[in-house]
Amino acid sequence: MKFSVVAIAGLLSAVLAHPETISRREIQRRSAISKRCEPSAASFNRRRMEKRWPGRGNTTYTIQTEAPYFDAIQNDTCVMSPILTEGPYVWPRSQTLRQDMSEGQPGIPLWMDVGVIDVNTCEPLPNVLLNFWHCNATGSYSSFTALSPNTPFLELLEQLGIDEEDFTIGVTDLHTDDSTFLRGMWPTNDVGVMEMKTTFPGFYVGRSIHIHVQAFTDWTLHDNGTVSSGNVVSTGQLYFGETMSAELMAIEPYSLHTQINRTTNSIDDIFSVGLKGGYNPVFSTVPADGNDYANGVIGFITMGVDPSANGIDNSMYEQE
Ligand SMILES: *[C@@H]1O[C@H](CO)[C@@H](O)[C@H](O)[C@H]1NC(C)=O
Ligand SMILES: *[C@@H]1O[C@H](CO)[C@@H](O)[C@H](O)[C@H]1NC(C)=O
Ligand SMILES: *[C@@H]1O[C@H](CO)[C@@H](O)[C@H](O)[C@H]1NC(C)=O
Ligand SMILES: *[C@@H]1O[C@H](CO)[C@@H](O)[C@H](O)[C@H]1NC(C)=O
Ligand SMILES: *[C@@H]1O[C@H](CO)[C@@H](O)[C@H](O)[C@H]1NC(C)=O
């Protein structure tokens, strides 16, 4: 996996302080591509939903739920994946090739049904390795379990005696253990789709509920089970609708996380970067049992990636 060494001044501010420094030109470019692929993304999502929910995915408004948060298949789930921040809890060593990354973590089951399309053609893209990581129901990341999810990141660094200037995402080693829960990767199949089962994430200080994702078009599985991956074509974060999140967070064990108040999408800085970036990184969801999200969630999303992209997109850090 390839990480550019970018000074913390740049990345941390992208994480925490001024993430909205994406250039206007780049925003326009992504919006245009996202718009162009919208019909393809909509029909791609619909076909997948139809497969899981025979008879329900064919029209926009037939999905009946107790509470119709997303009663429509979202057209705008074509994620124009920019190179958004990986965040401080990226830890490639703990990523495992598997289709169920829950490892018994308590909480509500989540099945992520992810489609990938090539933004140049709007066609499904097979054999793209998708790499996911997120926190557990009470906000902890595996491999970093000794770091409190309730302490703001800069304070954590201070406690660890690490100067802010010396911290580089993906380089500075903050890991505290070798646990691997809620980290996994799996490739898209022949028709550009993959599924990953996990446990619905909770939240940690300052961030709305999200799942990190990276896409690789160039990767190799070794005999010893490890994966080496080259071309990072996208790094992003995926989100959930606020109404469903509020419902799920009221249920144990999520509700036991009372030490901090949850940051919602509307006040999360990084979420707004995504929106401004011309894409909608919010899962379309249906209750897995057709009835109640408390029993499990299926999330559909289509990511648009540019296979010719490579590594860090510096335009993310340009000033307007
Ligand atoms: C979704 O996209 C389809 C196909 O482009 C279009 O016919 C439909 O009106 C769109 N629906 C919404 C809700 O935007
Ligand atoms: C969706 O609806 C169209 C038009 O009614 C029909 O031709 C098509 O067979 C349906 N597709 C599925 C998968 O049911
Ligand atoms: C989340 O992980 C932390 C660290 O391993 C653990 O203490 C906590 O109990 C976990 N949360 C739940 C709900 O199991
Ligand atoms: C697995 O195999 C790859 C390729 O031969 C090698 O680079 C890597 O170090 C091996 N990893 C382990 C943990 O043995
Ligand atoms: C959460 O927000 C409420 C309302 O603003 C406030 O009264 C409460 O003290 C906050 N709780 C924590 C743990 O910050």
Side-chain angles (χ1 to χ4, degrees):
M1 202 175 287
K2 176 173 171 256
F3 294 106
S4 297
V5 179
V6 180
I8 186 56
L11 267 183
L12 243 205
S13 67
V15 180
L16 301 164
H18 318 285
E20 67 276 22
T21 54
I22 175 171
S23 75
R24 190 179 298 276
R25 185 167 34 84
E26 186 55 20
I27 292 168
Q28 284 165 350
R29 190 182 71 86
R30 286 179 192 148
S31 303
I33 296 174
S34 186
K35 268 253 157 339
R36 188 167 58 75
C37 290
E38 197 176 284
S40 305
S43 109
F44 192 27
N45 279 351
R46 191 156 46 236
R47 287 198 307 274
R48 279 143 54 207
M49 207 176 260
E50 172 66 26
K51 210 167 153 196
R52 264 176 207 276
W53 278 51
R56 299 209 185 202
N58 204 18
T59 61
T60 307
Y61 294 105
T62 51
I63 294 166
Q64 303 296 330
T65 62
E66 296 275 44
Y69 307 124
F70 274 107
D71 61 348
I73 295 166
Q74 304 296 290
N75 269 358
D76 49 1
T77 42
C78 176
V79 177
M80 229 342 265
S81 297
I83 308 296
L84 211 52
T85 180
E86 292 149 341
Y89 302 110
V90 61
W91 197 242
R93 198 201 294 176
S94 294
Q95 296 297 140
T96 309
L97 195 70
R98 54 183 170 183
Q99 277 194 283
D100 183 347
M101 61 188 212
S102 38
E103 277 188 34
Q105 283 288 310
I108 292 164
L110 166 66
W111 289 266
M112 296 188 275
D113 179 308
V114 184
V116 177
I117 58 174
D118 178 341
V119 295
N120 300 301
T121 60
C122 301
E123 291 295 325
L125 206 53
N127 204 33
V128 177
L129 185 70
L130 293 180
N131 188 18
F132 299 94
W133 67 103
H134 65 80
C135 69
N136 74 3
T138 44
S140 293
Y141 278 89
S142 62
S143 300
F144 297 86
T145 59
L147 303 185
S148 168
N150 305 326
T151 307
F153 190 69
L154 291 178
E155 242 174 273
L156 272 181
L157 282 184
E158 209 177 310
Q159 285 172 12
L160 294 169
I162 296 172
D163 198 292
E164 198 185 313
E165 317 272 298
D166 295 336
F167 177 80
T168 305
I169 286 177
V171 176
T172 309
D173 185 352
L174 299 184
H175 91 291
T176 63
D177 57 276
D178 293 322
S179 56
T180 57
F181 60 81
L182 310 182
R183 293 177 187 269
M185 46 191 179
W186 197 256
T188 57
N189 64 13
D190 292 353
V191 290
V193 181
M194 60 80 67
E195 179 183 295
M196 178 68 80
K197 183 179 182 236
T198 187
T199 299
F200 197 88
F203 57 91
Y204 55 100
V205 66
R207 291 303 321 282
S208 67
I209 298 170
H210 64 278
I211 291 179
H212 294 269
V213 60
Q214 277 181 324
F216 302 91
T217 48
D218 164 24
W219 58 281
T220 314
L221 176 62
H222 301 299
D223 290 343
N224 61 19
T226 66
V227 172
S228 54
S229 35
N231 214 15
V232 185
V233 290
S234 125
T235 298
Q237 302 186 14
L238 307 174
Y239 300 85
F240 298 91
E242 178 54 31
T243 317
M244 181 190 71
S245 291
E247 180 189 323
L248 299 187
M249 292 305 113
I251 299 168
E252 281 190 20
Y254 303 94
S255 62
L256 301 174
H257 194 184
T258 53
Q259 296 87 342
I260 52 169
N261 280 326
R262 181 168 67 89
T263 297
T264 54
N265 289 344
S266 60
I267 55 173
D268 180 284
D269 283 347
I270 297 182
F271 181 77
S272 68
V273 175
L275 286 185
K276 284 183 187 169
Y279 69 96
N280 184 352
V282 180
F283 278 101
S284 297
T285 55
V286 290
D289 67 356
N291 245 325
D292 189 352
Y293 281 123
N295 298 324
V297 177
I298 302 175
F300 295 87
I301 200 155
T302 294
M303 298 175 53
V305 304
D306 181 355
S308 59
N310 191 358
I312 297 278
D313 174 357
N314 290 315
S315 61
M316 277 303 288
Y317 307 107
E318 260 176 40
Q319 297 289 337
E320 272 184 32

